[in-house]
Structure formats: structure tokens, C-alpha cells
Amino acid sequence: MPINRRTFGKLVIASIGSTLAPAVLARPLARVVVVGGGAAGATAARKLANSKHRIEVILVEPNRHYTTPFFSNRALAGLQSLENFSRDYLKLTSADGIRVIHDMVIESDPGKQTVRLSSGADLPYDRLIVAPGTGLITKNIEGYNSTSQQIFPHAYNGSSPDQWVLLRNRLQEMKDGGLVIITAPPRPYKCTPAPYERASLIAGYLLKHKPKSKLLILDSKVEFPLMDAMIEVWDEKFGDQIEWVSADFGGAISGVDNNNQSILADGEIFTPDIGNIIPPQHAGAIAHKFGLADDSGWCPVNALTFESTRQTNVHVLGDAIDAGDMPKSAAAAHQQALSAATAIANLLTGSNDPVPKLENACYFLTEPGQALVVGGRYRVDGGKIAGVEGYSSDPGESPEIRQQTARKGEQWYADVTQAMFGRG
Ligand SMILES: Cc1cc2nc3c(=O)[nH]c(=O)nc-3n(C[C@H](O)[C@H](O)[C@H](O)COP(=O)(O)OP(=O)(O)OC[C@H]3O[C@@H](n4cnc5c(N)ncnc54)[C@H](O)[C@@H]3O)c2cc1C
């Protein structure tokens, strides 16, 4: 049955029964449909649903649980189980009154202001939020095809746990003396320091459990954020066990051979026991299908409201956008969503509530209980996001400072996941 405005209203009233106050049952002023229940989509949905305005919110997300990509490197290294990073959408319905539909959005009709689900149902909207995260670009990796992800798990894209489980199992099964290769993509991609945090934590796991093993990072870049501090830790802690090969020394991946499980970089063939290939990225597929992405592969927006510059009444958030100076991180996606939700409510209701400022702070473990931070504050200038000030951990910091940073990171994760998915 197609879900239209009238049937949806009936469903909501039927499901919430007659115990609620009349104000709650009042006809909504407007409907916002959110595509994607990740860091950006879940935040925006909750913020709009809990606003003082009568805005009906429908969230469409295929997965029943969201496995937070952020902090997931800890699960790969066995520091915490993957279940610790899983969040349920149920509370968004029970506590926030959001209608969560577990399905994929597959088409849109901007003229009619509807999106179609893979079930065939059409959802009308007054404003649409598209927050699908990233998609992988594999065309420049020769030999990479649909089976390659099973051979070289990326454990990087999407929010279902399968890829993480695959890579974790491989690490546990690998013999002592094995070779692990992580390939790091060119910018821009989500969470630039994350492959290096991953390298640190996996190297720590190998040192403890498979000390004859080695980890090689093949990089398509010549530098990365927090590089000096990270390499200092690697030198001190792991010595020859970890090696970073930058693009100017032949680190850029160019092909794979699925049958031989080998990786080609700068004419050299590597045959690791585990290949964790993190491909280059662009905006998630649905953003391309909707015509929201430009030639850069990302979606241009007016950062005052996060409305697409290519389609009216459609807002794009999180990793999928061209965010100017702001990185692609959960912290950034969350802040953008708070800002956009306020702006959208203002647009729909004619209010003038202050739009929160844009900030980012990302925390990365070098080893259990020791972390680095990188962050910044931003302003909107001519519709684009521009950096105001930035900061990052220095090399040579004391273990006490790194411990404090790790504690702040734990607190950030607890706070931000609660803000996205409700109290745990
Ligand atoms: C290993 C790793 C470590 C990281 N560490 C950090 C960190 O320490 N700090 C930090 O701030 N960030 C970190 N990040 C980055 C962070 O996870 C992302 O920036 C953030 O998740 C982006 O949020 P998003 O909502 O844009 O996308 P996502 O969180 O990827 O969510 C997108 C959602 O959209 C859904 N979706 C896609 N297409 C459709 C469709 N057609 N219909 C319906 N739903 C759809 C997907 O199922 C998914 O749930 C890390 C990322 C990785 C991979």
C-alpha cells in the first residue's frame, strides 16, 4: 500500500492510541522525510521530532541496528566487542515519535516532492533530508569487482557490521608471522586519520597475540593528519613491525588479483595474509541517483541551511556533502545535522531560532587508553564552510595528556551516540 499523508496520519494515531494529550494529536504543520539513519540522519530526525514545532518525521534506513563506524577500529583490534558499537532504532520511535521505516529509498520525484521506497511505497515530503554517507569508487583499482570486498574487506563503508566481522575474523584466524596490509585512499574520504588509528590498534593486537607478524600501510597520499604524533608512537612501540609506504615511495594501490589475493602498487605485487583495502570514496549512491552530487562526486549545499544548491526543498548532510573546510566525521555530521534541523524548522514554521555553530573534534587511539585529538571551529561564508581555528595533538605529549584525551573521547562517544539514538 502506498503511504500517503492521510494514511500515515491514521497509522500514527492508531499506534499512539488515545492516551496522549490533544496537542500531540494536532495535525502536523509539515512532514520531513530523512534518508539514512547514520550520524547525520539520526541526529537531524531526533532534533526535528523533539522541536517545539509540530513536524512529522519519517526516517528511512535499511538496517535495524546502526553499527557506529566511528570507534569501530577498537572492535577490529579486539579491545571491545562489535556489539558495543551497535545502536537500536527502536527508541527513535518509542521515545521520539519518529516513524522509522526499514527500507531503501530508490527514487525521487522532486516535482511531486515524493521519494519511492524499494517496497514500492511513495512518501510525500515538505522537506527531504538526504544523509546516505559515502559510496566506494573502485573503478581505478584494476581487477576489483563485486567479490573483492569478501577477499579484501574494507570494514569502512556503510553501517551494517558484516565487513567488520569479516576483517576481525581474518585477524583472529591469521597465523603468527602473517602480513597485514591496509591500503589508505586519496583524499577526500571519511575520517582521514581513521586508517592510521586502525593501523596502530591492529599493530598492538599483533604485538600481543602474533608477535612475528607485520603490518604494512600502502598509502595513496604523502601525508595524513596527526602524522608526526602517530609515526612517533609507531617508531617507539612497534619498530619494524609496522611500515608506512607513502604514495611517493610506491604506496598507491592500482590493482588487485582476487584469485591470488594480491595487491598491485606502483608495479610491485604484494601478497598479504590479510588485505584491508579501503577504496576511494564519493557521496553515497542515492545522492548521485537523485542528481545531488556534482562532478567532484560530492553534494554542494548552501551551508546556512544545508539545502542542496541543485534541488530545492532537499537538504544533504554528513559525509555526502562538499563540506568545505570541515572534515567528513561523525562529529561534523552531528553538528551539521543540529544546524540543518534548526534551519529547516525555521524555514517550515517561519520561526527564527538560533542555528548552532559548527564544530568538530575527533579522537583516535594510538593504543588502549592513549589518544590523539584533532578538531576545529567553522563559520559559514558565502554559503561555504570555512575554518575559523583548528587544533591537534602534538608529538611528544606525556602519557597523562594522552590519557586525558582518551577519556574526553570516551565521553564524546557516550554523549554523541545518546544525542543520535537516545539514552542507552
Ligand atoms: C573506521 C572508522 C573510524 C571512524 N572514526 C571516527 C571518529 O573517531 N570520530 C568521528 O567523528 N568520525 C569517525 N568516523 C567517520 C564517521 O563514521 C562518519 O563520518 C559518519 O558516520 C558520517 O555520518 P553520515 O550520517 O553522513 O553517514 P553514515 O553514518 O555512513 O550513515 C549513512 C546511513 O545511510 C543509510 N543509507 C544509505 N543509502 C540509503 C538509501 N538509499 N536509503 C535509506 N538509507 C540509506 C546507510 O544504511 C547508513 O546507515 C570513522 C569512520 C570509520 C570508517
Side-chain angles (χ1 to χ4, degrees):
M1 175 189 74
I3 300 170
N4 61 35
R5 204 173 295 255
R6 286 188 60 214
T7 50
F8 174 75
K10 280 186 198 159
L11 286 172
V12 170
I13 290 168
S15 65
I16 58 183
S18 57
T19 51
L20 296 178
V24 178
L25 292 176
R27 189 181 158 78
L29 288 174
R31 174 191 280 184
V32 176
V33 173
V34 183
V35 181
T43 302
R46 283 198 83 220
K47 175 83 178 164
L48 281 163
N50 290 305
S51 75
K52 59 182 187 272
H53 311 293
R54 296 196 313 278
I55 297 175
E56 196 179 288
V57 182
I58 303 181
L59 173 65
V60 187
E61 160 64 47
N63 299 311
R64 302 246 155 208
H65 294 90
Y66 178 76
T67 300
T68 68
F70 43 106
F71 279 39
S72 66
N73 285 330
R74 297 158 194 236
L76 294 177
L79 302 179
Q80 282 171 268
S81 101
L82 201 53
E83 283 78 56
N84 290 348
F85 303 104
S86 178
R87 295 293 179 275
D88 201 317
Y89 288 101
L90 280 177
K91 275 193 280 318
L92 270 60
T93 306
S94 59
D96 303 305
I98 298 166
R99 176 147 194 237
V100 182
I101 302 177
H102 291 293
D103 203 341
M104 287 290 279
V105 170
I106 55 165
E107 273 170 37
S108 76
D109 183 334
K112 288 190 189 153
Q113 296 202 178
T114 57
V115 288
R116 177 157 297 172
L117 309 184
S118 68
S119 65
D122 285 332
L123 291 177
Y125 63 81
D126 294 299
R127 293 268 164 176
L128 180 68
I129 294 178
V130 180
T134 50
L136 301 178
I137 307 172
T138 57
K139 65 178 189 303
N140 294 332
I141 306 176
E142 205 184 326
Y144 195 102
N145 60 26
S146 55
T147 56
S148 303
Q149 288 190 10
Q150 298 308 309
I151 297 161
F152 307 102
H154 55 75
Y156 213 85
N157 203 49
S159 61
S160 108
D162 313 10
Q163 279 280 308
W164 278 263
V165 171
L166 192 58
L167 185 54
R168 172 70 189 142
N169 287 347
R170 295 269 166 88
L171 284 163
Q172 283 182 301
E173 288 156 9
M174 190 184 80
K175 65 175 190 289
D176 191 7
L179 171 66
V180 179
I181 291 186
I182 298 175
T183 73
R187 289 170 186 256
Y189 64 96
K190 70 171 128 187
C191 202
T192 321
Y196 311 95
E197 177 193 64
R198 176 173 294 183
S200 251
L201 296 183
I202 291 180
Y205 168 78
L206 297 177
L207 187 65
K208 194 164 167 196
H209 299 281
K210 312 188 188 224
K212 289 185 244 146
S213 307
K214 191 168 166 163
L215 190 144
L216 185 63
I217 305 154
L218 294 176
D219 208 328
S220 295
K221 302 181 292 304
V222 295
E223 48 75 44
F224 58 88
L226 299 167
M227 178 167 143
D228 293 344
M230 198 62 98
I231 287 182
E232 181 184 64
V233 173
W234 294 348
D235 286 345
E236 276 172 16
K237 219 174 136 47
F238 306 119
D240 291 344
Q241 202 178 16
I242 188 166
E243 191 183 343
W244 176 62
V245 184
S246 65
D248 48 356
F249 283 89
I253 181 175
S254 55
V256 293
D257 181 337
N258 287 345
N259 292 331
N260 293 322
Q261 303 202 18
S262 59
I263 297 173
L264 186 68
D266 205 26
E268 196 172 340
I269 296 170
F270 299 85
T271 309
D273 294 270
I274 299 174
N276 168 212
I277 295 181
I278 305 172
Q281 290 152 37
H282 58 178
I286 199 69
H288 292 270
K289 188 156 186 201
F290 285 7
L292 297 168
D294 64 18
D295 289 345
S296 71
W298 306 100
C299 305
V301 293
N302 172 355
L304 284 173
T305 59
F306 291 87
E307 186 165 2
S308 165
T309 57
R310 294 165 72 93
Q311 243 169 69
T312 51
N313 297 333
V314 178
H315 302 253
V316 195
L317 300 177
D319 286 348
I321 67 168
D322 170 357
D325 290 344
M326 211 172 184
K328 298 185 183 302
S329 71
H334 176 65
Q335 292 293 328
Q336 290 163 10
L338 293 176
S339 182
T342 309
I344 291 167
N346 284 345
L347 287 166
L348 287 170
T349 63
S351 342
N352 198 17
D353 293 340
V355 173
K357 291 200 170 17
L358 295 172
E359 292 175 348
N360 177 64
C362 291
Y363 300 87
F364 301 97
L365 289 183
T366 55
E367 58 187 290
Q370 300 276 295
L372 306 173
V373 63
V374 58
R377 290 194 303 113
Y378 307 84
R379 70 192 154 83
V380 180
D381 196 356
K384 305 253 178 241
I385 302 176
V388 175
E389 64 175 25
Y391 57 89
S392 66
S393 296
D394 291 319
E397 285 175 344
S398 67
E400 291 72 29
I401 290 193
R402 296 269 160 95
Q403 199 175 34
Q404 279 170 24
T405 307
R407 282 202 203 106
K408 281 187 194 162
E410 300 295 339
Q411 193 57 53
W412 170 80
Y413 183 87
D415 292 345
V416 88
T417 49
Q418 186 173 314
M420 290 168 186
F421 295 96
R423 196 175 287 277

